[in-house]
Amino acid sequence: MCVMRDWVTFPDGTRGRRSWDADLQRAGAWQRRLAQAWGGDERPVCDCRYQGQPMGLSVHRCLRQRGGEQVQVYHLARLRNQGALHHVACSFHEADPRRDGRSGYAAAVVHERDDGRIGIALRRGLRCLDVAAAPAEPAQAARQGGGQGAVRQARMTELGVLHLLWEEAGLNRWTPRMGRARRHWPVVREALDRAAVRIVPARNQTLSDRLAMIGYGDEDGPALLRETARSCGETWRILLLGIVDDIALMNGREGQQFCSLRFDGAKTYNLRVSAAAIWHERVARRYPMAMAALARPRAERAIRVVGLVTATVRMEVIHGQTVVRCRADDIALMEVEPDTLTPVSSGHELVIARALVEQRRSFVRPLRFDAGRDVVLPDFVLTDTDEPRGTPMEVFGRADEAYAARRAEKARYYDEVFGQAHWWHWDAVASPGRWPAFPPASTRTGGDDDV
């Protein structure tokens, strides 16, 4: 069966797997191998080929805290503007921006820089004095995936940042070989941090400089949070990312209410996150599936909720302990399958995501970012079939008259772009609980085919 391809060949002919970076037994040797390749005249290559030539990769170096001390960390990245040229099953593949959620942005909102990093234009800057930009002007419109045209966003919101991080970290991809790794928060944090290093929201700043991640069982997490909070001070906003455990209205001093957000594991971090009371209503309106899940007891939740919070931060010492207090400016949520952290947006999608995992399939979940609903995105794309671009999968979860035109538009788009026999769909209303067989997996083992 063809699975995700992540083999890398180094200039001296030795080979290794990108996934070894998250393997505790192999991570040290992998880092030493990357250190040897860093700054060399020849590039490592993956197994993909374009026009007959191997596709080169870039080795990046940065400083990170490990075990309480600063160490040099190396990671691999694809070269500029080559993401879509990698095979759909390659870990360095990036969806064609014209056919994913990034197409909803105006030009230059998300762009690859000359140094291989990703520049972004945020709706609200990270400096505390920056305010949120006005909504996008309706001047720039373009056809999106068969739609009638929509205003392209002139700035990226917190939800767009969350989707970008998840996509660049590869957390919207799944292969059977990943096993239970994503149940361990340090593994997830490392992947997100590698992604954040590549994202540049402002001159001389990376997203990693302002990002703190909160989760259970992470020995380095509390110290990293305090370090980031200190570096932000009164000048910079902090970005908090983690699994959300609760969002609730609380009574404050003099009877005034406020919105409290609690991350899983936050008690160990001595972290307090609050927002104006109106944010409880806003979040409930924007993310009804997430809030419905959080309202249930933890053991009964079918999904987990990932949150990204932009906040001002201050630190204070209470009874000898450092407490990190954050006041949220914005909150973005994303619903995910609990074990794989695959994003989903409905109960039907959750069922299919679990079925794909049970059948040991490899797939990717395209993310919408801030794109409007006229952008046609499949719910999943199988990456282990014989289709070079993958096999789109669409779950039709409504049967009302208003949705009929949208369904016809999606079907027309898939027929035109991929061909009638080259995409999968399930009418979850007509056949609840019974979906068509998934397209068969390829019998090829992968390798150096030209893409």
Side-chain angles (χ1 to χ4, degrees):
M1 178 182 294
C2 178
V3 297
M4 185 177 75
R5 306 181 336 183
D6 66 348
W7 281 101
V8 174
T9 303
F10 291 94
D12 63 1
T14 59
R15 283 168 63 78
R17 305 193 80 151
R18 190 185 189 191
S19 57
W20 289 353
D21 203 29
D23 186 325
L24 295 179
Q25 295 181 336
R26 290 171 164 163
W30 176 249
Q31 282 292 309
R32 289 191 293 273
R33 192 66 196 85
L34 291 179
Q36 293 172 359
W38 181 76
D41 294 332
E42 297 183 67
R43 295 185 182 276
V45 298
C46 70
D47 284 351
C48 297
R49 289 180 177 270
Y50 179 66
Q51 297 181 344
Q53 298 299 315
M55 299 197 66
L57 304 168
S58 178
V59 182
H60 295 270
R61 182 179 71 175
C62 59
L63 288 175
R64 284 293 170 267
Q65 184 165 326
R66 298 275 179 83
E69 60 182 28
Q70 291 280 348
V71 297
Q72 291 183 337
V73 177
Y74 299 84
H75 64 275
L76 287 167
R78 58 183 173 264
L79 298 183
R80 185 186 183 194
N81 297 325
Q82 291 193 3
L85 301 181
H86 287 267
H87 192 279
V88 68
C90 178
S91 67
F92 296 99
H93 174 79
E94 177 186 47
D96 186 337
R98 295 169 296 181
R99 293 195 180 123
D100 76 352
R102 303 187 197 198
S103 63
Y105 294 118
V109 175
V110 184
H111 61 279
E112 290 201 48
R113 294 160 43 110
D114 291 337
D115 59 8
R117 296 187 294 177
I118 301 170
I120 60 174
L122 296 176
R123 185 174 69 94
R124 177 188 289 105
L126 294 182
R127 285 187 178 274
C128 293
L129 294 178
D130 295 336
V131 297
E137 292 292 331
Q140 297 193 47
R143 290 181 62 84
Q144 309 284 346
Q148 298 301 312
V151 175
R152 290 188 174 181
Q153 296 295 317
R155 292 288 188 273
M156 177 179 283
T157 69
E158 277 75 3
L159 181 62
V161 174
L162 178 55
H163 283 191
L164 180 62
L165 278 166
W166 222 250
E167 185 177 273
E168 288 298 317
L171 296 174
N172 66 325
R173 288 179 166 269
W174 179 259
T175 69
R177 187 166 44 79
M178 293 178 182
R180 300 168 66 88
R182 290 183 183 172
R183 290 191 173 197
H184 303 286
W185 182 253
V187 174
V188 176
R189 173 174 61 78
E190 288 282 352
L192 288 166
D193 187 59
R194 286 194 296 271
V197 168
R198 293 190 62 230
I199 300 173
V200 182
R203 183 179 298 177
N204 299 323
Q205 294 283 323
T206 71
L207 208 61
S208 180
D209 296 329
R210 307 299 167 210
L211 178 65
M213 289 164 279
I214 298 92
Y216 279 118
D218 190 349
E219 293 182 358
D220 289 330
L224 289 171
L225 170 63
R226 292 191 295 270
E227 178 184 323
T228 304
R230 278 192 291 267
S231 69
C232 289
E234 297 181 356
T235 304
W236 299 96
R237 290 185 174 91
I238 193 171
L239 297 172
L240 304 170
L241 192 157
I243 305 295
V244 177
D245 184 52
D246 185 51
I247 300 177
L249 279 175
M250 306 291 288
N251 292 319
R253 296 175 180 175
E254 300 178 359
Q256 292 185 339
Q257 289 189 314
F258 66 94
C259 179
S260 170
L261 183 147
R262 185 171 68 247
F263 288 103
D264 281 0
K267 185 176 181 180
T268 304
Y269 291 69
N270 286 328
L271 173 65
R272 312 286 188 272
V273 183
S274 64
I278 194 173
W279 272 102
H280 190 270
E281 178 186 345
R282 289 177 180 174
V283 173
R285 185 173 62 250
R286 292 179 184 177
Y287 310 102
M289 181 181 178
M291 292 296 283
L294 294 177
R296 302 179 67 86
R298 187 181 302 168
E300 298 179 10
R301 296 174 186 173
I303 61 170
R304 301 178 83 182
V305 178
V306 177
L308 179 69
V309 177
T310 305
T312 54
V313 60
R314 63 186 176 88
M315 301 172 66
E316 56 186 51
V317 178
I318 300 178
H319 302 305
Q321 290 190 327
T322 300
V323 176
V324 181
R325 295 191 181 276
C326 295
R327 184 70 172 178
D329 290 317
D330 211 324
I331 302 170
L333 303 179
M334 179 175 67
E335 304 88 351
V336 298
E337 196 280 327
D339 293 329
T340 64
L341 302 187
T342 303
V344 294
S345 58
S346 72
H348 299 309
E349 291 179 14
L350 178 63
V351 167
I352 295 302
R354 288 177 170 169
L356 289 171
V357 173
E358 290 173 0
Q359 295 187 27
R360 299 187 61 79
R361 301 304 299 269
S362 299
F363 61 93
V364 61
R365 161 65 184 217
L367 297 177
R368 185 164 291 277
F369 294 79
D370 294 310
R373 287 295 161 185
D374 66 322
V375 177
V376 177
L377 292 178
D379 295 313
F380 305 98
V381 177
L382 284 172
T383 59
D384 58 4
T385 66
D386 284 322
E387 299 292 338
R389 292 180 295 174
T391 301
M393 308 181 74
E394 184 72 41
V395 178
F396 296 118
R398 292 168 50 189
D400 54 279
E401 184 177 348
Y403 186 70
R406 176 62 172 165
R407 173 171 174 167
E409 179 188 18
K410 288 185 174 183
R412 183 170 59 252
Y413 171 75
Y414 292 129
D415 287 345
E416 291 176 354
V417 175
F418 295 92
Q420 290 186 359
H422 301 280
W423 63 287
W424 176 96
H425 67 278
W426 171 37
D427 188 333
V429 177
S431 302
R434 303 189 308 277
W435 50 86
F438 298 143
S442 172
T443 57
R444 294 181 293 110
T445 58
D448 57 358
D449 52 315
D450 195 315
V451 296

